[in-house]
Amino acid sequence: MVLRIFGWSFAVTIVSLIIAAIYGGPQAVMLVVILSILEVSLSFDNAVINATVLRRMSEFWQKIFLTVGIVIAVFGMRLVFPLVIVWLASGLGPVAALDLALNPPADGASHFPDGSPSYETLLTDAHPQIAAFGGMFLLMLFLGFIFEEREITWLSWLEKPLARIGKLDQLEVVVAGALLLLTAAYIAPEDTVSTVMISGVLGMVTYIAVNGLGELFNTPEEGDEDAGTTTSGGPTALAKATGKAGFFLFLYLEVLDASFSFDGVIGAFAITSDPIIIALGLGFVGAMFVRSITVFLVRKGTLSDYVYLEHGAHWAIGALAFILLVSIGVHVNENITGLVGVALIGAAFISSILRNRKGPAQVEATGERNDEPETATVG
């Protein structure tokens, strides 16, 4: 099973390294390896959340996500998206933006001799808007999860009180809006306050719209054993969603993947500004392995076996959202972002193992069920 799931990722990795060697020699190969490791470390929590949604989709929509979705992830977010940002920020045409990316100034300078900014500089200057949108989308996802009551809790001393508070209607919108105002007032540079506010609101609206559409079309059929189940923090958890429900789950996953990829794309420029190397490392290698990890988690039933992984992934999402908002005004090292996510998911994994070693009586004493409910929140 492992070879079947990860086979394409290994094959793409070999081809990408060969292309990198032809394109830029041993140094390019090393950069691709570094970027791929960066992408996987930053996106492991993304894989866990993707898996919680993917396991609720029909086989058809799972295939769409793993085929069309990977094309969007590789070419859309890791190659086209940075070019579009530079295109819009500079006023250049698409061809001129690509030429700017492929022909950086000599010696790694931030500007050309004529004073015009480089591709890397233009993209970095757009970071406040990108971070505000992605940060608020992920923050809404995190808040929707922690404010929802559930039978199984990980950090019970914290999650249970937050779930009780979450009974207040639209609390996540209120909290997210307040944090956006604080970010714009005290963290964002003065010349970016308005753009940060607009981008942040767009992030919130995008989450509410996509999540709401998923719930609207994901209506349990009469006689469905999951009927009457309600969840938040992501589209509803109707098993094997098809049709419009499957489409909006797919759309939700693509927006979620885009929000996760922002920090990786920006962070990649601390390593190299070459868009070809970035596309090979983040997209072809990194994104493929993230997809393979997602499939592995679904096929092996890992999320049912290790019930706290979903909790750890959401807390990692919350940490990433706060880091994105803070990074609007303060540089945050990419290693910190990756390590925080890995640490939280690792802690959740260890907690799951310890929980599985308990007998049913011990688990029952904690007030939790010993089996993973079929209607778990899907992120």
Side-chain angles (χ1 to χ4, degrees), residues 253-266:
L253 281 174
E254 290 306 313
V255 177
L256 181 62
D257 182 71
S259 298
F260 271 101
S261 68
F262 291 150
D263 61 323
V265 172
I266 297 298

Side-chain angles (χ1 to χ4, degrees), residues 6-20 29 32-33 36 280-281 284-286 288-289:
F6 287 90
W8 276 107
S9 294
F10 286 119
V12 169
T13 298
I14 294 171
V15 172
S16 298
L17 292 178
I18 292 173
I19 294 173
V29 173
V32 169
V33 171
S36 62
L280 288 172
F284 285 95
V285 181
M288 279 295 295
F289 267 101

Side-chain angles (χ1 to χ4, degrees), residues 97-172:
L98 179 61
D99 181 68
L100 185 66
L102 296 175
N103 298 282
D107 302 323
S110 61
H111 290 75
F112 290 94
D114 63 359
S116 58
S118 67
Y119 174 85
E120 178 182 357
T121 299
L122 288 169
L123 187 59
T124 302
D125 289 344
H127 175 70
Q129 299 96 297
I130 297 171
F133 179 93
M136 293 309 297
F137 184 93
L138 295 177
L139 182 62
M140 288 290 294
L141 173 61
F142 168 67
L143 293 175
F145 181 84
I146 65 170
F147 286 149
E148 177 71 17
E149 284 191 313
R150 51 186 38 80
E151 294 183 50
I152 295 178
T153 56
W154 177 36
L155 306 176
S156 301
W157 58 273
L158 182 57
E159 292 181 2
K160 288 184 177 180
L162 288 174
R164 287 195 291 269
I165 298 173
K167 292 179 180 179
L168 293 173
D169 191 34
Q170 301 299 320
L171 181 61
E172 59 265 33

